[in-house]
Amino acid sequence: MYLAHKKKLSINSIKSRKEFNIIYSGVKSISDTIVLFSSQLETTQQSFAFVASKKVGSAVSRNRAKRRMRAALRIVLNSYNSRKPMQFLNNTGRLKENYVNQAVEHFCINGTILVARNTILTAAFEKIVKDLKYCIKKSEKLSQINV
């Protein structure tokens, strides 16, 4: 069971088309509920984008899919710092600079796009978290091979 935290983790988003194209041409890892694209960007900040196409369903379904991916990502980021939970946030709820650097070192990448698949709407939340961890580990291995 996952507990909601009082402070929400602020996730930097990818906004420019150029960054999207760079990441889409990078490493790709596929699971039952999520497709993860990752690549190294020129910035030092860890950035994420959440995408759900019309194949997932109506606007309500797509928004729900993106909310589920965001929540799973927060759980995964918190689990990497499980010894001292919530110590990587500053007073405003944003990531501290040193945690961002640790995340970039840990992921070996700093641009990630999470694409929802149809099954994300009916899958158990634990399955989504498990799939996300699997995709991250797989993309790390593939990025080390490609370097």
Side-chain angles (χ1 to χ4, degrees):
M1 186 62 156
Y2 297 103
L3 300 174
H5 297 287
K6 291 182 181 179
K7 289 184 179 181
K8 285 197 172 181
L9 180 64
S10 176
I11 298 172
N12 298 322
S13 62
I14 300 166
K15 294 186 173 79
S16 73
R17 181 170 173 78
K18 180 182 175 184
E19 289 177 342
F20 270 93
N21 290 338
I22 291 170
I23 295 170
Y24 276 129
S25 65
V27 177
K28 175 182 177 181
S29 57
I30 301 170
S31 70
D32 294 337
T33 57
I34 294 173
V35 178
L36 185 136
F37 293 90
S38 56
S39 181
Q40 186 69 32
L41 296 175
E42 295 174 2
T43 63
T44 58
Q45 282 188 323
Q46 183 77 21
S47 300
F48 298 92
F50 304 92
V51 178
S53 69
K54 287 189 177 181
K55 290 180 183 179
V56 173
S58 65
V60 174
S61 299
R62 294 192 304 268
N63 287 333
R64 183 169 183 250
K66 289 188 268 188
R67 281 195 310 269
R68 294 188 90 189
M69 286 190 294
R70 259 185 236 110
L73 182 64
R74 285 187 178 107
I75 296 292
V76 170
L77 287 178
N78 283 335
S79 71
Y80 283 120
N81 198 10
S82 61
R83 284 184 234 124
K84 298 177 183 176
M86 301 306 289
Q87 299 240 339
F88 53 87
L89 298 177
N90 61 19
N91 295 338
T92 61
R94 294 196 178 270
L95 287 172
K96 288 182 179 177
E97 196 61 39
N98 61 351
Y99 182 77
V100 172
N101 293 337
Q102 290 171 8
V104 170
E105 289 171 11
H106 179 79
F107 287 122
C108 303
I109 47 173
N110 62 356
T112 305
I113 298 174
L114 296 157
V115 180
R117 299 184 79 184
N118 291 340
T119 55
I120 198 166
L121 298 173
T122 56
F125 187 71
E126 290 80 12
K127 170 78 171 143
I128 298 170
V129 173
K130 183 180 173 184
D131 284 351
L132 181 57
K133 286 180 180 179
Y134 166 78
C135 285
I136 289 171
K137 287 179 184 176
K138 186 176 174 186
S139 68
E140 286 174 350
K141 289 178 184 177
L142 291 173
S143 66
Q144 290 172 355
I145 291 169
N146 292 340
V147 171

